[in-house]
């Protein structure tokens, strides 16, 4: 299968690498060309533009930072470069509103569109341990399943409407951010009483409940290991804003998301936008005078 992959950031690069390892014919494009050097040495073709990468591809995969980056990438002639019958698989965390617009645009061009955001950090992408949530036409999902399986440990199809996958991704990230906030507040309280974060987490996560999420992020918080970032805090702010916008669209109040948005903003105001989003706990510590 001829695959075009646009976006070789901390997630996109290992995902594209795993497609190459799976034996797929790969053409890649990234604004910073040097990010593609290792893939080129392994046999990938490096295109000079997004449109050039998309030309003649059976499947176009995009993995970029946000709505604005995705729209900017596609507006440079990508829709025209893709042939009829080609499939666009958007794996970025974007708004359901943009997903719906892209689905309609591709439908009008005789193409298919899948939303397939992923759960997992860069180390999970490298190890092919991502969870892929995909929605769109069933025939297109079946055709792309070998590609999705090459990048993750499991693919969950959630319906024909692509926006469903985007909503699940935003809701899932909201749950993760809420867990980080809860751990941050609990750790700040414990520290004020001289209790080490690791001691608290050993009792709670080791005996009261078991959660890989609390275990993994708990270690980052206990060790205050927020750099290098696996997922930057500024992207957590972006995703929380997207969740709030999605809630506004259907009149669903999200008071906890509003609190998280304000705490993310507080972190950005302190210059912490590029640390890991587990650093949201640093705001809790700062508010507690720690």
């Amino acid at each position: 299968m001829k695959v075009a992959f646009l976006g070789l950031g901390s997630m996109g690069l290992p995902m594209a690498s795993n497609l190459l390892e799976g034996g797929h014919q790969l053409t890649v494009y990234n604004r910073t060309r040097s990010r593609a050097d290792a893939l080129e040495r392994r046999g990938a073709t490096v295109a000079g533009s997004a449109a050039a990468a998309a030309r003649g591809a059976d499947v176009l995969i995009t993995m970029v930072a946000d709505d604005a980056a995705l729209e900017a990438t596609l507006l440079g002639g990508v829709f025209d470069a893709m042939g009829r019958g080609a499939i666009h698989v958007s794996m970025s965390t974007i708004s359901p509103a943009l997903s719906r617009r892209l689905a309609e645009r591709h439908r009008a061009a005789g193409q298919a569109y899948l939303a397939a955001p992923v759960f997992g950090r860069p180390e999970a992408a490298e190890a092919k341990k991502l969870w892929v949530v995909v929605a769109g036409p069933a025939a297109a999902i079946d055709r792309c399943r070998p590609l999705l399986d090459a990048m993750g440990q499991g693919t969950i199809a959630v319906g024909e409407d692509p926006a469903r996958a985007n909503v699940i991704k935003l809701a899932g990230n909201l749950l993760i951010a809420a867990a980080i906030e809860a751990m941050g507040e609990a750790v700040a309280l414990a520290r004020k009483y001289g209790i080490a974060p690791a001691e608290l987490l050993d009792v709670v996560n080791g005996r009261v409940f078991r959660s890989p999420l609390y275990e993994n992020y708990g270690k980052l918080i206990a060790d205050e290991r927020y750099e290098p970032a696996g997922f930057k805090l500024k992207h957590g702010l972006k995703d929380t804003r997207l969740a709030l916008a999605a809630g506004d669209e259907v009149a669903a109040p999200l008071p906890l998301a509003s609190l998280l948005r304000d705490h993310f903003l507080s972190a950005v105001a302190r210059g912490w936008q590029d640390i890991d989003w587990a650093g949201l706990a640093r705001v809790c510590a700062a508010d507690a005078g720690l």
Side-chain angles (χ1 to χ4, degrees), residues 113-183:
Y113 171 78
L114 300 177
V118 301
F119 286 102
R121 291 163 64 88
E123 56 269 26
E126 291 173 9
K128 292 188 282 191
K129 294 294 185 181
L130 298 172
W131 289 102
V132 183
V133 181
V134 63
I141 292 175
D142 289 342
R143 187 177 173 194
C144 292
R145 194 173 286 274
L147 301 177
L148 302 178
D149 289 346
M151 293 182 281
Q153 63 177 313
T155 300
I156 307 105
V158 295
E160 294 260 337
D161 177 10
R164 288 174 56 87
N166 301 110
V167 171
I168 289 172
K169 170 60 175 173
L170 293 177
N173 274 14
L174 181 59
L175 286 169
I176 296 171
I180 293 170
E181 171 73 19
M183 282 186 281

Side-chain angles (χ1 to χ4, degrees), residues 48-135:
S49 68
R55 192 166 292 114
D58 299 310
V59 177
L60 169 72
I61 298 175
T62 52
M63 187 61 173
V64 296
D66 53 28
D67 284 35
L70 181 55
E71 290 188 280
T73 298
L74 297 176
L75 288 177
V78 170
F79 291 102
D80 294 333
M82 292 176 65
R84 293 184 66 84
I87 304 170
H88 174 197
V89 182
S90 171
M91 306 191 77
S92 309
T93 302
I94 61 170
S95 68
L98 176 57
S99 205
R100 285 192 292 267
R101 292 199 302 273
L102 291 177
E104 182 54 40
R105 180 77 180 266
H106 283 295
R107 190 180 301 113
Q111 301 154 0
Y113 171 78
L114 300 177
V118 301
F119 286 102
R121 291 163 64 88
E123 56 269 26
E126 291 173 9
K128 292 188 282 191
K129 294 294 185 181
L130 298 172
W131 289 102
V132 183
V133 181
V134 63

Side-chain angles (χ1 to χ4, degrees), residues 240-250 254:
T240 304
R241 284 172 166 162
L242 288 177
L244 285 165
D248 286 347
E249 189 176 340
V250 292
L254 301 173

